[in-house]
Amino acid sequence: MIRLRKKEELDTKEKLKIFGPAILLTIVGFVVAYQFVAPAPPRTISMGTGSIEGAYYAYGKAYRERLAQDGIALKLKNTSGAVENVKLLESDIDGVDVAFVQGGLANLAKSNNLVSLGSLFFEPMWIFHRAGIELHRLPDLKGLRVAVGPEGSGTKTLTMQLLELNGINHKNTRILTYGAPKAADMLSMGEIDVAVFVANLRSQYIFQLFKSKTVKLMGVERAKAYALRHQHLHVLTLPEGVIDFETNVPSQDLAMIATTGQLVARSDLHPALVALLLQTAEEIHDTGGGFEQEGQFPAPRYLDFKLSDDARRFYKSGPSFLQRYLPFWVANFINRMTVMLLPLIVLLFPFFKLMPPIYRWKMRSRIYRWYSGLEAVDPEVHKKDLPAHLDDYLLKLNRIEEQVTNISVPLAYTEELYHLRLHIDMLRNKLLRYREK
């Protein structure tokens, strides 16, 4: 029993001598490879939205709720609008990681570090005016009190672009920069003549203005011409009666121009978060509603910022296999660890394929190396020299047997050791028979 235990201990020691360096080399390979593993995505990111009353903020809350399910804390930053969002995306101090940005504002970016993750919804331009005045075309706004949106908003930027095309500016018109809720209230009370909004149909103040009896919506004549001049604009139609069938609001089909709301991010946003944000966008925006058809958004179209490479892969192939069936953090961990497959393949392959044969060779070499000594005293090989050297052969054979007696091998190789001893006895018997002749 004691001898058996020693054999097992010997087997363990020998395996450690052979496999130990390979295991150590593999561990070192994994440590080196781990240096190239992409960092885990941050658990907290920030998003630039807009005013609390606007659609951007409402969508931001929906994103925050959905991302929280995957352990991502989304901090919403209320802003004056899309123009400020662009500045925050480029700011290193108190900036944001991702933001809603109105189409047509890419020229405001001062660097190439912003990318689009796709368009999310249409943002029509709504031109409301007091019911007591007749307006048909944008040039008719000249000389009136016109609220064009707050400073830092995409509404003001787009509105001023179109007004200037029609020769309207601060010199000939009273341009007012009020926020959307305030402008809507002032228009309802007759304190201003016109209020322009660039907003999603779901915005609260848009519906409030439709309900007001003192306010009317003006369509945009020459809408196709504006869209041709500015490629980020699209022509939409607000059908007659779609807002209120009973009172027939609007009273006729109205042509409208619209841009799109985009999800814009810093170019260094973690790829895993890009995919997660787009999955979230699909859940929130895919159903459509209003001017958006089901499945139309999110989309890699209607963009003026460059589409993110990670987003392009998502639109082409969808989420990865792991992200479809595993929790976000589990899928991300496995995906990041794929770089570890290199040392696994390069180092563990010889570990499993080459080390066992090396181990067997080393164990058997302890036994087989003595056969060259046995051949040197084999009477069948040395028949001519046998009479003169018989005693020397017997002496050499005894020495070999004495050394072989001290050989220790694992139990798995005991059979080869016994074969060696049998061969030694066989040769001794042959030599002794020659002596007796």
Side-chain angles (χ1 to χ4, degrees):
M1 192 69 180
I2 295 176
R3 185 174 181 81
L4 180 61
R5 188 180 299 113
K6 289 183 177 180
K7 289 280 187 181
E8 293 175 348
E9 292 176 356
L10 174 65
D11 190 20
T12 302
K13 290 181 180 179
E14 292 298 334
K15 286 181 178 179
L16 285 176
K17 289 180 181 179
I18 300 297
F19 290 86
I23 294 174
L24 180 61
L25 181 62
T26 302
I27 293 174
V28 171
F30 271 95
V31 171
V32 173
Y34 188 76
Q35 308 307 310
F36 298 93
V37 174
R43 290 184 175 271
T44 300
I45 58 174
S46 55
M47 170 182 276
T49 57
S51 65
I52 296 179
E53 301 83 1
Y56 284 176
Y57 183 74
Y59 280 128
K61 290 193 296 183
Y63 276 74
R64 181 174 61 189
E65 181 179 343
R66 174 59 185 84
L67 292 177
Q69 297 176 16
D70 287 305
I72 302 295
L74 181 64
K75 294 184 177 180
L76 303 182
K77 190 176 184 65
N78 298 330
T79 67
S80 58
V83 173
E84 183 180 354
N85 287 349
V86 173
K87 294 179 180 178
L88 288 173
L89 284 166
E90 293 189 302
S91 174
D92 294 327
I93 302 175
D94 197 29
V96 295
D97 302 295
V98 63
F100 296 112
V101 176
Q102 178 183 301
L105 300 182
N107 61 327
L108 300 181
K110 298 179 180 179
S111 67
N112 296 321
N113 296 327
L114 303 185
V115 292
S116 178
L117 305 188
S119 56
L120 306 176
F121 44 79
F122 286 120
E123 291 191 292
M125 172 179 277
W126 307 89
I127 305 175
F128 287 96
H129 61 88
R130 289 192 296 109
I133 57 177
E134 288 293 327
L135 300 178
H136 302 284
R137 308 173 70 191
L138 285 179
D140 296 339
L141 273 61
K142 185 179 294 184
L144 300 178
R145 298 168 296 176
V146 182
V148 297
E151 296 291 346
S153 68
T155 298
K156 180 177 183 295
T157 301
L158 176 59
T159 303
M160 292 309 300
Q161 287 176 347
L162 300 188
L163 291 181
E164 288 170 2
L165 282 177
N166 291 279
I168 299 175
N169 51 49
H170 290 276
K171 296 180 180 180
N172 54 35
T173 302
R174 188 177 176 186
I175 303 299
L176 307 171
T177 55
Y178 298 135
K182 182 177 180 179
D185 291 339
M186 294 181 69
L187 180 62
S188 297
M189 293 184 292
E191 296 178 3
I192 58 176
D193 302 309
V194 180
V196 183
F197 310 94
V198 177
N200 186 271
L201 183 59
R202 295 177 176 84
S203 298
Q204 296 178 2
Y205 49 83
I206 298 295
F207 275 99
Q208 291 174 356
L209 288 173
F210 274 122
K211 293 178 181 179
S212 174
K213 298 184 182 298
T214 62
V215 172
K216 292 179 62 177
L217 176 67
M218 184 183 84
V220 179
E221 293 188 4
R222 302 183 295 179
K224 292 183 179 179
Y226 292 122
L228 184 62
R229 180 67 68 90
H230 296 284
Q231 295 296 314
H232 61 277
L233 295 179
H234 308 272
V235 178
L236 300 176
T237 299
L238 187 68
E240 178 182 348
V242 70
I243 302 299
D244 190 324
F245 282 92
E246 183 178 359
T247 58
N248 198 35
V249 178
S251 59
Q252 60 182 359
D253 288 354
L254 294 178
M256 304 183 68
I257 55 175
T259 183
T260 56
Q262 304 176 63
L263 194 59
V264 179
R266 299 179 191 234
S267 58
D268 59 355
L269 184 66
H270 198 286
L273 290 178
V274 171
L276 184 60
L277 283 166
L278 287 174
Q279 284 181 277
T280 302
E282 282 188 340
E283 294 182 20
I284 295 174
H285 305 287
D286 182 71
T287 54
F291 291 104
E292 297 82 22
Q293 300 298 314
E294 183 177 357
Q296 186 175 9
F297 293 102
R301 302 182 297 276
Y302 319 124
L303 309 176
D304 51 342
F305 287 92
K306 178 184 176 182
L307 182 65
S308 158
D309 292 336
D310 297 312
R312 181 178 287 107
R313 283 190 288 270
F314 182 91
Y315 287 113
K316 182 178 180 181
S317 307
S320 68
F321 175 82
L322 294 176
Q323 286 181 318
R324 288 173 184 167
Y325 300 103
L326 294 176
F328 172 73
W329 289 104
V330 175
N332 178 66
F333 176 79
I334 295 175
N335 186 59
R336 290 169 53 232
M337 291 300 110
T338 53
V339 70
M340 305 300 285
L341 290 177
L342 182 61
L344 183 68
I345 295 172
V346 174
L347 298 177
L348 289 187
F349 178 79
F351 179 78
F352 285 108
K353 295 295 183 180
L354 301 180
M355 290 298 105
I358 291 175
Y359 176 74
R360 290 193 296 271
W361 171 82
K362 185 172 180 62
M363 292 300 100
R364 288 173 176 172
S365 66
R366 292 183 176 185
I367 300 170
Y368 295 154
R369 67 188 182 91
W370 296 103
Y371 279 95
S372 61
L374 296 184
E375 186 180 14
V377 298
D378 189 344
E380 299 297 332
V381 177
H382 304 284
K383 288 183 178 180
K384 295 181 180 181
D385 299 330
L386 187 59
H389 299 283
L390 182 59
D391 292 336
D392 292 336
Y393 289 169
L394 285 170
L395 181 61
K396 289 181 180 180
L397 190 61
N398 290 334
R399 289 175 179 173
I400 290 174
E401 184 178 30
E402 182 180 351
Q403 291 176 313
V404 168
T405 303
N406 296 324
I407 294 177
S408 293
V409 292
L411 288 173
Y413 301 92
T414 303
E415 183 178 357
E416 283 91 341
L417 181 60
Y418 283 144
H419 285 167
L420 175 60
R421 291 174 178 174
L422 288 173
H423 292 157
I424 292 174
D425 287 340
M426 182 185 68
L427 287 178
R428 179 182 290 106
N429 291 334
K430 284 184 178 182
L431 291 172
L432 291 175
R433 282 198 298 271
Y434 274 104
R435 172 180 282 181
E436 293 173 357
K437 290 181 181 181

